[in-house]
Amino acid sequence: MKISRREFVMASGAIAASLAVGPKLAMAAAGLPKIKLGVGLKAMSPIVINLVIGEVLGYNKAEGFSVTTQVLGSNANVQVAVDRGEVDFGVGVPSFGLPVLAQGEWKKSINFYEYTYPYKWDIAVLPKSSINGYEDLKGKRIGVSGFGATDYPVTKNVLQSLGFDPDKDFKWVAVGGGVPAGVALERGQIDALAYYDVGFGLIEAAGLPFRLVPRPAKLPLIGGQFLETQTDRLQKNKAQVIGLGRAVCKSSNFILANPKAGALAFLRMYPEAAPRGSSQDQAVESIYRAINRRIKLYSPPYPGAKMGSINVRELQTEAAMNHWNISDYGLFYTNDLIDEINNFDLDKIRRQAKEYS
């Protein structure tokens, strides 16, 4: 999958309006510098819970800034916004960044923290479906949330690794995210749904039926998601870059220590995320069920690796699967900040999580 310069320019057209839309938070610390974080979502979702709750937990304030999260609609939009300096930080994804690197056009940005590790996608079908393995999907209609979301290119890569031609062997259908995706499956508009862990949690919480197709035995470790910023910002304001990474690292550990406390913190920032008419306990349970699959991916699946560190083999695997010719990944990522990002009192964060109410 390639992103042309024309597509980057077209994507930027959606950004100006999106930048004006952010969470209506009253807890932003007065007087602190405000930084903008772009995410490739159409609406705020607990999928990015560990990126945002540092604001209400005081982790951003401890680093000397306040964060406003901007929903920009797609990962391509985020990449444009970071490159143009329209947001200070963004979510970086290899499926959109590596093609640019392969074309020799990756110049301004760098990924410095992996906040979610592979592998987070699955394929779901209705409980009585005759599809019992990925080999049964040939000729079927596979739904994805959108063609600008990572579930589309990553699932295509996996199917290609199994010997399929993703463009000829399947019909791809954009069905939207969250509950609408589950409704499309339930109503038979698609035969299968390729989606991510938190999305399936939202569908499950809504009571919609599905079952996950067993994953292939050799699933490639691809599709991690990163924090990125302009290389110039990293060089000139290294402390701020480390600070955001540390706030996210603290938030991730907070959620791991007490997932329901993390859900409560998210709801305090985004009360509109609560199901209509629900009590606080019911709303917390809903968010918890949505994130339960995701939180295990906050920690690296590599022995001895520190949280947030980036394993270049993930990038190399995805590049090889797509025939992207990349000899040097040095411009794309760095692990130089990981030790400083992880330099905090982990036991204190865990105690805070256990005591949070």
Side-chain angles (χ1 to χ4, degrees):
M1 182 175 183
K2 294 183 178 180
I3 301 176
S4 67
R5 290 178 180 175
R6 180 174 177 273
E7 288 172 318
F8 261 64
V9 172
M10 290 177 66
S12 67
I15 291 176
S18 298
L19 286 173
V21 181
K24 298 178 180 179
L25 301 176
M27 73 280 293
L32 289 176
K34 292 178 172 57
I35 61 177
K36 291 180 285 189
L37 169 67
V39 298
L41 303 173
K42 291 181 172 63
M44 181 50 61
S45 162
I47 186 176
V48 292
I49 184 173
N50 59 331
L51 300 188
V52 301
I53 64 170
E55 188 72 9
V56 72
L57 295 177
Y59 302 155
N60 296 339
K61 182 178 180 181
E63 300 297 336
F65 52 73
S66 175
V67 177
T68 299
T69 304
Q70 307 284 1
V71 291
L72 302 183
S74 73
N75 293 307
N77 287 353
V78 174
Q79 190 63 65
V80 174
V82 172
D83 285 343
R84 293 188 172 186
E86 293 170 326
V87 295
D88 306 302
F89 297 88
V91 169
V93 293
S95 57
F96 288 89
L98 290 180
V100 181
L101 180 66
Q103 295 169 43
E105 297 179 2
W106 185 271
K107 306 206 183 276
K108 292 186 176 181
S109 303
I110 191 163
N111 296 283
F112 64 91
Y113 184 92
E114 189 161 1
Y115 74 89
T116 299
Y117 289 91
Y119 181 81
K120 62 182 71 68
W121 293 273
D122 278 288
I123 295 178
V125 295
L126 290 176
K128 294 183 179 180
S129 171
S130 61
I131 298 172
N132 296 303
Y134 279 44
E135 66 277 4
D136 299 326
L137 290 164
K138 188 172 182 178
K140 303 299 185 182
R141 299 164 298 167
I142 302 178
V144 293
S145 61
F147 298 126
T150 49
D151 36 85
Y152 176 57
V154 170
T155 304
K156 287 180 68 176
N157 280 339
V158 170
L159 291 170
Q160 185 178 45
S161 74
L162 297 174
F164 292 109
D165 184 330
D167 295 316
K168 295 181 179 179
D169 291 338
F170 316 97
K171 181 180 180 181
W172 299 92
V173 184
V175 295
V179 174
V183 171
L185 181 64
E186 183 184 41
R187 292 180 177 176
Q189 297 168 357
I190 52 176
D191 303 302
L193 174 65
Y195 209 25
Y196 62 93
D197 47 9
V198 175
F200 282 125
L202 293 170
I203 294 170
E204 184 177 52
L208 295 170
F210 68 88
R211 63 176 171 84
L212 298 180
V213 179
R215 290 176 174 179
K218 294 184 178 180
L219 199 64
L221 281 179
I222 58 173
Q225 294 181 308
F226 312 98
L227 289 174
E228 71 171 355
T229 191
Q230 284 195 5
T231 304
D232 187 60
R233 175 177 291 274
L234 188 149
Q235 294 171 345
K236 294 181 178 179
N237 202 344
K238 182 179 177 182
Q240 187 182 80
V241 178
I242 292 170
L244 181 62
R246 186 181 291 133
V248 171
C249 193
K250 287 180 178 179
S251 296
S252 299
N253 280 289
F254 180 98
I255 297 166
L256 284 168
N258 190 346
K260 291 191 177 181
L264 177 58
F266 182 81
L267 285 166
R268 284 178 172 158
M269 292 188 66
Y270 301 98
E272 65 274 18
R276 185 174 299 176
S278 62
S279 66
Q280 177 175 285
D281 287 346
Q282 289 170 330
V284 166
E285 183 66 23
S286 175
I287 299 298
Y288 167 72
R289 292 178 67 181
I291 66 173
N292 191 39
R293 289 181 172 91
R294 169 59 58 92
I295 59 178
K296 61 186 178 183
L297 301 179
Y298 292 163
S299 299
Y302 314 109
K306 289 189 175 182
M307 186 175 282
S309 60
I310 299 169
N311 191 320
V312 71
R313 285 177 293 179
E314 294 177 19
L315 310 178
Q316 293 168 336
T317 299
E318 188 158 351
M321 293 175 70
N322 289 279
H323 309 290
W324 297 324
N325 185 18
I326 302 172
S327 58
D328 183 8
Y329 294 85
L331 293 175
F332 192 76
Y333 83 102
T334 180
N335 280 322
D336 290 350
L337 310 182
I338 295 301
D339 285 346
E340 291 180 83
I341 286 173
N342 281 272
N343 184 20
F344 59 87
D345 188 340
L346 179 57
D347 289 337
K348 180 179 178 180
I349 300 301
R350 289 171 173 165
R351 287 195 301 271
Q352 180 190 9
K354 295 298 183 183
E355 297 168 0
Y356 190 80
S357 62

